[in-house]
Amino acid sequence: MQTIDLRELEKLNMLKLSIKRSMSQGEGLRRSSAKGRSAEFSGYREYIPGDDMRYVDWNAFARLDKLYIKEFMEEKEGRVSIYLDTSRSMEFGEKLKSTLMSELTESLSYIASSGRDSVYITDLANPTYTFKVPSGKQGVGTLRKWLDSIHPGEVVKSINLKESLKKAVRGRGGIAFVISDFMDEGFLEAETDILKLFGYHGMEVTLLHVLSREELEIDDDGAFQLIDSEEESKEVRLTLDRYSIRDYKKALDNYMRSIEEKARAAGGRYVLCSTGENVHKLLFESMRDLFI
């Protein structure tokens, strides 16, 4: 999948993801009230058998003849999980939906890695494998190679999001992003169960609904021969006039509204991402509340 220019990524340095739920145990840049190791000294407490002797204050012992342990504010890394819908339907539009999905994935990973959060990405066509983005500058190049190796529709033409996510979601806490056009026929009925799945794992989930500009802005009327991108044996002859276009837009608006309402009811987020929008505008405007 096509990736984003490095100079464009560097413009995102000012952003940092807001991760409110429980976090992983690695060291990172997020302040925790728990005690641990970092550069910032917190205070002393009496030694308890089993404590790491490296943190004994021997100067205090020499003065007081009693063992005290130095405590530091522990800073934990957040866990960011990204799930990609690589169905064949993502290969649609003058600017492919898969291209915007790749740009969003790379941007979110760059922002998270810059804050020393851990990033895990899953291609839902292969839900039992999770790719961990390496930390540091090498992570950008490694992620790009991994994204370049993905070709939507190559492994499976259509993905059952509920079943794939049941296999893919693991770990505890942090935030999760599902990037999809949500063209899965049974998604709306399965959405509540999917959101509960993330809740069970303590994850705060955001649904990034990727649609092409052509899907959102149908203006042309006339007769069309359409082929189902995920089942090519299906062909539909369709005549569009202003009434059918109006009905289509109404049905799409209702579908998007239903997805958003269920997401918000479960404590999640919903963001519409059009290929007609620049990825920076989506991040700085439509997704602004994801950052601190």
Side-chain angles (χ1 to χ4, degrees), residues 187-198 262-263 265-266:
F187 173 75
L188 202 56
E189 290 73 23
E191 183 182 359
T192 298
D193 290 338
I194 290 171
L195 294 167
K196 285 181 179 178
L197 173 67
F198 284 106
K262 288 190 176 185

Side-chain angles (χ1 to χ4, degrees), residues 20 33 48 69 71 81 106 111 113 123 133 153 162 165 182 184 187 192 196 202-203 216 220 223 237 273-274:
K20 300 176 183 177
S33 59
I48 299 172
I69 294 290
E71 286 190 324
S81 302
E106 200 170 358
I111 293 167
S113 295
D123 173 3
V133 180
K162 178 181 176 180
L165 286 167
F182 300 117
D184 175 7
F187 173 75
T192 298
K196 285 181 179 178
M203 295 180 179
L216 291 166
D220 296 332
R237 185 167 182 80
C273 302
S274 168

Side-chain angles (χ1 to χ4, degrees), residues 208-255:
L208 299 182
H209 193 178
V210 176
L211 291 175
S212 69
R213 179 186 58 78
E214 293 87 347
E215 289 169 323
L216 291 166
E217 301 173 11
I218 293 181
D219 294 314
D220 296 332
D221 55 14
F224 300 88
Q225 189 77 16
L226 305 179
I227 298 175
D228 189 323
S229 63
E230 296 182 358
E231 195 170 336
E232 293 177 0
S233 61
K234 286 185 178 180
E235 294 188 11
V236 178
R237 185 167 182 80
L238 184 65
T239 300
L240 294 179
D241 56 25
R242 62 191 180 100
Y243 300 107
S244 56
I245 292 173
R246 179 198 61 193
D247 291 343
Y248 164 81
K249 289 182 176 180
K250 182 178 180 180
L252 181 60
D253 286 343
N254 288 339
Y255 185 62

Side-chain angles (χ1 to χ4, degrees), residues 35-96:
K35 305 297 181 183
R37 296 177 297 163
S38 82
E40 186 174 348
F41 175 70
S42 173
Y44 294 96
R45 65 169 172 79
E46 288 190 27
Y47 171 83
I48 299 172
D51 283 340
D52 193 329
M53 296 298 292
R54 290 178 298 172
Y55 301 108
V56 170
D57 187 328
W58 295 108
N59 290 326
F61 176 73
R63 295 195 309 272
L64 304 172
D65 196 28
K66 197 169 185 179
L67 292 176
Y68 286 90
I69 294 290
K70 292 180 181 179
E71 286 190 324
F72 300 85
M73 292 299 297
E74 181 180 8
E75 294 184 336
K76 297 182 177 181
E77 64 182 9
R79 181 184 178 99
V80 179
S81 302
I82 303 174
Y83 302 91
L84 307 180
D85 177 1
T86 56
S87 300
R88 181 72 179 273
S89 64
M90 295 297 289
E91 293 287 90
F92 179 78
E94 181 179 353
K95 175 180 178 177
L96 298 175

